[in-house]
């Protein structure tokens, strides 16, 4: 059996050992990247990733694949810039093609206030390492094909920022490359196993209950996307997270070429073209917290109006698919990474509508924390105790949060 089939069989049939040094709950991008980095950077391979469904079956395989670092505050800009840089090298490092495409992202605005925000965004981005500049309407009209500069006669394009590092990558390829890399290094990645309980003694994690029996471990990393609160509750930890549905769609093939990624914060949507030529778009979260993954007509009719106002050519396309994920939203729209009040119970959550881009840096940092016991400086501002210390990092740096 060659290496590929060995890996495939391990994924399907891997059996649980009675104990592990580290148990990671959730086979999404963040859980797998943590396992990958533990194994490859720190030599820690007695690790299990437990996934109740299939790897990438959560938000990591449902997102719209945008990678960027054009946030509005120093701490997120530095963190996401690190991730953007790691993404650049990930194909070479894993020797797996992820269709990574650095094509630039336009963040356009239709209001005077938005114009000022984009000027400030460009400044702060450059100060903390992200390649973003302000763009006047003339440049936007020249560079973005098919754009209507005065949608519905009410929303004139007044400028925007251009983030040169904005990119996309094929999400399931990212997940599989990380899983394969971790497995080759000796990590057990087991699908179809649900964690049903966490064992805590004297405020220390001592084990995990699963649908396939108990596992002893002193370190658990919860990387369960929209299910963060229910898993944390198993350890008696209350998280300031709410789960909201987020929907997205793709159209049929558009025969034109649309290289850019474009977001309109004021109209509340973003769009890009996939390698198959489909137009891929998304908007904000559903306002009502819910675990529902049903897609609805309200979303598609409302986004269609806004999107075709800015891009009339999309009115000739048909929506082929629409789907929904469950987003773990934090109160300040920033991630929550690191320790909890229970020793040995670590979390990586609050990834909301923006966590795909964070997978390489999130995994790198969480693995470093597990391996060294020290919180890396890059993620220290995103600790859970920031809420108790009144150091929230409010940054609505995503169309999904408006
Ligand atoms: C429609 C949509 C569009 C998005 N677009 C973007 C984008 O363009 N750019 C961007 O950066 N981000 C985007 N995001 C957000 C991004 O997809 C997520 O933040 C990211 O994938 C989170 O990864 P994760 O590993 O934390 O969670 P997930 O990928 O959700 O993985 C968590 C896993 O945990 C498993 N699990 C849960 N409970 C248990 C349990 N008890 N036992 C075992 N396993 C369990 C789940 O089955 C799941 O597979 C989008 C999200 C959605 C829904």
């Amino acid at each position: 059996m060659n290496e590929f089939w060995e890996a495939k069989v391990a994924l399907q049939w891997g059996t649980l050992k009675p104990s592990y040094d580290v148990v990671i709950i959730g086979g999404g991008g963040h859980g797998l990247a943590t396992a990958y980095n533990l194994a490859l950077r720190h030599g820690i391979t007695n690790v299990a990733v437990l996934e109740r469904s299939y790897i990438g079956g959560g938000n990591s395989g449902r997102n719209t694949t945008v990678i960027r670092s054009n946030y509005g505050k120093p701490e997120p800009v530095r963190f996401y810039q690190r991730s953007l840089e790691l993404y650049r090298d990930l194909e070479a490092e894993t020797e797996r093609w992820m269709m990574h495409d650095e094509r630039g992202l336009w963040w356009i605005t239709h209001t005077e206030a938005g114009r000022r925000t984009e000027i400030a965004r460009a400044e702060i981005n450059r100060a903390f390492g992200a390649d973003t500049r302000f763009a006047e309407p003339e440049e936007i009209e020249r560079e973005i094909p098919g754009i209507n500069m005065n949608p519905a006669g009410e929303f004139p394009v007044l400028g925007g920022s251009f983030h040169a590092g904005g990119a996309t990558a094929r999400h399931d390829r990212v997940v599989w490359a990380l899983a394969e890399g971790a497995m080759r290094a000796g990590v057990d990645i087991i699908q179809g196993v649900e964690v049903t309980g966490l064992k805590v003694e004297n405020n220390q994690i001592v084990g995990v209950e699963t649908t396939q029996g108990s596992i002893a471990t002193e370190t658990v990393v919860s990387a369960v996307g929209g299910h963060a609160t229910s898993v944390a509750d198993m350890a008696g930890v209350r998280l300031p997270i709410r789960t909201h549905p987020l929907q997205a769609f793709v159209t049929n093939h558009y025969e034109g070429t649309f290289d850019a990624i474009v977001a309109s914060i004021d109209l509340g949507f973003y769009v890009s073209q996939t390698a198959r030529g489909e137009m891929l778009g998304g908007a904000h979260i559903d306002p009502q917290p819910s675990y529902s993954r049903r897609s609805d007509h309200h979303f598609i009719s409302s986004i269609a109006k806004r999107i075709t106002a800015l891009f009339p050519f999309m009115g000739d396309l048909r929506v082929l698919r629409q789907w929904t994920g469950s987003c773990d939203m934090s109160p300040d729209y920033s991630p929550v990474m690191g320790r909890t009040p229970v020793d040995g119970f670590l979390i990586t959550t609050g990834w909301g509508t923006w966590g795909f881009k964070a997978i390489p840096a999130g995994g790198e940092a969480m693995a470093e924390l597990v391996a060294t016991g020290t919180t890396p400086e890059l993620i220290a501002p995103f600790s859970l105790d920031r809420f108790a210390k009144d150091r929230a990092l409010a940054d609505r740096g995503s169309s999904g949060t408006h």
Side-chain angles (χ1 to χ4, degrees), residues 29-30 51-52 59-60 63-64 66 195 351 353-357:
H30 283 276
E51 168 52 52
R52 70 178 179 184
N59 292 339
S60 296
N63 60 70
T64 42
V66 178
V195 170
W351 291 115
T353 70
W354 51 84
F356 175 68
K357 65 181 72 61

Side-chain angles (χ1 to χ4, degrees), residues 70-240:
N70 61 336
Y71 279 73
K73 290 203 162 163
E75 297 86 346
V77 175
R78 281 172 50 228
F79 173 76
Y80 291 108
Q81 181 61 25
R82 171 73 185 153
S83 215
L84 190 147
E85 285 162 15
L86 288 171
Y87 258 121
R88 281 182 185 142
D89 297 336
L90 206 52
E91 289 181 330
E93 183 181 315
T94 59
E95 297 181 340
R96 292 293 175 269
W97 184 43
M98 297 171 188
M99 304 170 81
H100 181 257
D101 184 5
E102 200 160 301
R103 41 173 135 166
L105 178 144
W106 297 88
W107 202 255
I108 60 179
T109 181
H110 311 268
T111 65
E112 283 298 337
R115 201 180 140 90
R116 286 194 290 277
T117 302
E118 294 319 302
I119 290 170
R121 181 189 307 284
E123 291 295 325
I124 203 157
N125 279 197
R126 278 202 303 277
F128 291 93
D131 185 359
T132 307
R133 61 180 167 73
F134 184 74
E136 293 292 351
E138 297 72 33
E139 183 184 356
I140 290 172
E141 185 167 24
R142 204 172 53 240
E143 296 295 331
I144 302 180
I147 191 167
N148 172 9
M149 292 300 282
N150 194 359
E154 287 176 46
F155 305 102
V157 174
L158 295 184
S161 55
F162 178 67
H163 178 48
T168 52
R170 176 79 204 180
H171 45 26
D172 40 7
R173 285 177 183 254
V174 171
V175 169
W176 277 83
L178 292 169
E180 207 184 327
M183 282 192 307
R184 283 184 201 283
V187 169
D188 285 346
I189 297 175
I190 309 194
Q191 303 184 101
V193 178
E194 179 167 356
V195 170
T196 52
L198 296 173
K199 285 196 243 172
V200 180
E201 285 174 10
N202 301 322
N203 202 47
Q204 164 69 51
I205 280 280
V206 293
V208 172
E209 301 284 2
T210 80
T211 45
Q212 287 187 18
S214 305
I215 304 169
T217 185
E218 294 203 339
T219 305
V220 168
V221 179
S222 168
V224 291
H227 299 274
T229 48
S230 48
V231 169
D233 190 51
M234 296 173 190
V237 173
R238 201 155 173 236
L239 295 180

